[in-house]
Amino acid sequence: MANLIGSEVLQAFSTYATIVVLKMLLMAPLTGYTRFTRKAFANPEDTAHGKTPEDKKKMLRADPDVERVRRCHQNDLENIIPFVIIGLLYALTGPDLSTALLHFRVFVGSRFCHTVAYVFTLPQPSRGASWMVGLISTLSMAYRVLSTVLVL
Amino acid sequence: MANLIGSEVLQAFSTYATIVVLKMLLMAPLTGYTRFTRKAFANPEDTAHGKTPEDKKKMLRADPDVERVRRCHQNDLENIIPFVIIGLLYALTGPDLSTALLHFRVFVGSRFCHTVAYVFTLPQPSRGASWMVGLISTLSMAYRVLSTVLVL
Amino acid sequence: MANLIGSEVLQAFSTYATIVVLKMLLMAPLTGYTRFTRKAFANPEDTAHGKTPEDKKKMLRADPDVERVRRCHQNDLENIIPFVIIGLLYALTGPDLSTALLHFRVFVGSRFCHTVAYVFTLPQPSRGASWMVGLISTLSMAYRVLSTVLVL
């Protein structure tokens, strides 16, 4: 056990996986913040601070800024979780530390760029390119996993 | 291998992770049940039991109760999967069994409260508070992971 | 470490988990392809190739084919990630290789069937049945995990 986490590649994986999952978790408070500043909620029980019933009803709406943050969060779920799964299996195949660090750093960096590009509406292809860079890192690790341990 | 799963912390993690993932999996049948009782479907091929074409068309709609269950499911995805990822890395850092159990129990308990608060529309802050308690447990484990194994 | 990945069950798990996660990752390019062919986008910055402002505005819409691919992707997230989590814990309990392979093959096969049934709108119960078969495989592994390592 102590041995397992003693592997430097697994330590590096743990570090980067934790950082990028924390980044993903922060999207929820960001959604909440955008909901409060835009006064746009999904649940009737969240509009209790409205003064009149009409006020409360008006707050039950979809706001473009809220939807943007939610799409960014969804994209994180669709990409960061596959990275963590494949990255863990990749770390267990015993790659060079420097190669592994390259994969982890490129992926995590690309996701921070993706979030900035999405939330601040930077012109394309900034968002598409950062998504693609992260995907290529994940695919490259998946190739290493399959070429090392293929048992069908 | 036998050794690995022999660690009591990892056994406790496996138990709580499996329970909370099973809870998440049950949201899908609950969505299906709500779709059938509310007659609200997303796919035309799911309305074959309608008698007339108008009947079938009317069933293709978004229902508030169905959307509520789906938001609860989505919130599970956004919180339970990060718990499992960070919880596994945390278990590998070799924490005290009692500290680990505290984290796992608080998180899993908070998610059951969250689901009840969401599905039965309990007044706030029940839903928000249970979400927050689970998040704090995950953040506390992430802190332990990063302070133990940081390799950048 | 080398020992860990040396276990044949874990090698089989790594293979099937990687394959099914790659399948899930491919849903994103498929969504993108459908968005381009249907000219239906979610973000204003994605419509820069439109010629006139009215053209660009018309492209900001929800298209039934795009929504179908997105629902399929969401269903993958809701089912494939629980399979990977529970499958990893299951692999660590040291099951027979043949039993483990049966679970992995049934699950991965069912998800490919599910995607085909969803994207090509095959009549029910093809989609529902393939979803159910995958779920049963995951539940069966969860039962084995809980009956082997239960520590509450």
Side-chain angles (χ1 to χ4, degrees):
Chain A
M1 194 71 142
N3 257 352
L4 183 64
I5 206 72
S7 139
E8 264 189 309
V9 171
L10 204 60
Q11 288 187 340
F13 169 74
S14 300
T15 303
Y16 284 98
T18 303
I19 288 171
V20 79
V21 169
L22 286 177
K23 189 225 84 58
M24 184 168 74
L25 277 172
L26 283 180
M27 298 310 288
L30 186 58
T31 304
Y33 171 80
T34 318
R35 283 199 183 285
F36 268 97
T37 52
R38 303 308 189 269
K39 302 195 183 216
F41 298 90
N43 295 298
E45 69 268 30
D46 300 350
T47 63
H49 57 289
K51 275 161 208 153
T52 65
E54 294 87 59
D55 240 37
K56 296 183 188 183
K57 228 174 188 176
K58 252 197 274 176
M59 289 188 202
L60 283 181
R61 62 185 186 89
D63 177 87
D65 293 331
V66 173
E67 296 308 307
R68 177 174 288 277
V69 177
R70 290 184 61 215
R71 285 197 299 274
C72 183
H73 197 171
Q74 182 72 14
N75 196 283
D76 273 359
L77 286 172
E78 292 169 5
N79 288 280
I80 289 178
I81 298 166
F83 161 80
V84 172
I85 294 169
I86 290 175
L88 176 65
L89 301 175
Y90 168 79
L92 294 177
T93 65
D96 286 342
L97 179 61
S98 57
T99 318
L101 277 173
L102 180 67
H103 281 92
F104 301 158
R105 284 174 185 159
V106 165
F107 181 86
V108 174
S110 78
R111 294 311 299 183
F112 277 95
C113 293
H114 181 270
T115 302
V116 169
Y118 217 146
V119 173
F120 296 102
T121 323
L122 302 190
Q124 288 280 28
S126 58
R127 197 185 87 226
S130 51
W131 167 76
M132 182 71 86
V133 168
L135 184 61
I136 288 169
S137 172
T138 303
L139 293 179
S140 163
M141 292 191 299
Y143 175 77
R144 156 96 189 185
V145 171
L146 288 182
S147 59
T148 313
V149 301
L150 193 73
V151 172
L152 278 172
Chain B
M1 194 68 141
N3 257 353
L4 182 62
I5 206 72
S7 139
E8 263 189 309
V9 172
L10 204 61
Q11 287 187 342
F13 171 73
S14 300
T15 303
Y16 284 99
T18 302
I19 288 172
V20 79
V21 169
L22 287 177
K23 189 224 83 59
M24 183 168 76
L25 277 172
L26 283 181
M27 298 310 289
L30 184 59
T31 303
Y33 171 80
T34 318
R35 283 199 183 284
F36 268 96
T37 52
R38 304 306 189 271
K39 301 195 182 216
F41 298 91
N43 296 298
E45 69 267 32
D46 301 349
T47 63
H49 57 290
K51 275 160 207 156
T52 65
E54 294 88 58
D55 241 37
K56 295 183 188 183
K57 230 177 187 174
K58 253 197 272 177
M59 289 189 202
L60 283 180
R61 61 183 185 90
D63 176 87
D65 294 332
V66 173
E67 296 308 307
R68 176 174 289 277
V69 177
R70 291 183 61 217
R71 285 196 299 275
C72 184
H73 197 171
Q74 181 73 13
N75 196 282
D76 273 359
L77 286 172
E78 293 169 5
N79 288 280
I80 289 177
I81 299 165
F83 162 79
V84 172
I85 294 168
I86 290 176
L88 176 64
L89 301 175
Y90 168 80
L92 294 177
T93 65
D96 285 342
L97 179 61
S98 57
T99 318
L101 277 174
L102 180 68
H103 280 92
F104 301 157
R105 285 174 185 160
V106 165
F107 182 85
V108 174
S110 79
R111 294 311 299 183
F112 277 95
C113 293
H114 181 271
T115 301
V116 170
Y118 217 146
V119 172
F120 296 102
T121 323
L122 302 190
Q124 288 282 27
S126 58
R127 197 186 87 228
S130 51
W131 167 76
M132 182 71 86
V133 167
L135 184 62
I136 288 170
S137 171
T138 304
L139 293 179
S140 164
M141 292 192 297
Y143 176 77
R144 157 95 188 185
V145 171
L146 289 181
S147 59
T148 313
V149 302
L150 192 73
V151 172
L152 278 171
Chain C
M1 193 69 142
N3 258 353
L4 182 64
I5 206 72
S7 138
E8 263 189 310
V9 172
L10 204 61
Q11 289 187 342
F13 170 73
S14 300
T15 303
Y16 284 98
T18 302
I19 288 171
V20 79
V21 169
L22 286 176
K23 190 224 82 61
M24 183 168 76
L25 277 172
L26 282 181
M27 299 308 289
L30 185 59
T31 303
Y33 171 80
T34 317
R35 284 198 183 285
F36 268 97
T37 52
R38 302 308 188 270
K39 301 197 184 215
F41 298 90
N43 296 297
E45 68 267 32
D46 300 349
T47 63
H49 57 288
K51 274 160 206 154
T52 63
E54 293 88 62
D55 241 36
K56 295 183 187 183
K57 228 174 187 177
K58 253 197 274 177
M59 289 188 202
L60 283 181
R61 61 184 185 90
D63 177 87
D65 294 332
V66 173
E67 297 307 308
R68 176 174 290 278
V69 178
R70 289 183 62 216
R71 284 196 299 275
C72 184
H73 197 171
Q74 181 73 13
N75 196 283
D76 273 359
L77 286 172
E78 292 169 6
N79 288 280
I80 289 177
I81 298 166
F83 162 79
V84 172
I85 294 169
I86 289 176
L88 176 64
L89 300 175
Y90 168 79
L92 293 177
T93 66
D96 285 343
L97 179 60
S98 58
T99 318
L101 277 172
L102 180 68
H103 281 93
F104 302 159
R105 284 173 184 158
V106 165
F107 181 85
V108 174
S110 78
R111 293 312 298 182
F112 278 96
C113 294
H114 181 271
T115 302
V116 170
Y118 216 145
V119 172
F120 295 103
T121 323
L122 303 190
Q124 288 281 28
S126 59
R127 197 186 87 227
S130 52
W131 167 77
M132 182 71 87
V133 168
L135 184 62
I136 288 170
S137 172
T138 303
L139 292 179
S140 163
M141 293 192 298
Y143 175 77
R144 156 95 189 185
V145 171
L146 288 182
S147 60
T148 313
V149 302
L150 192 73
V151 173
L152 278 171

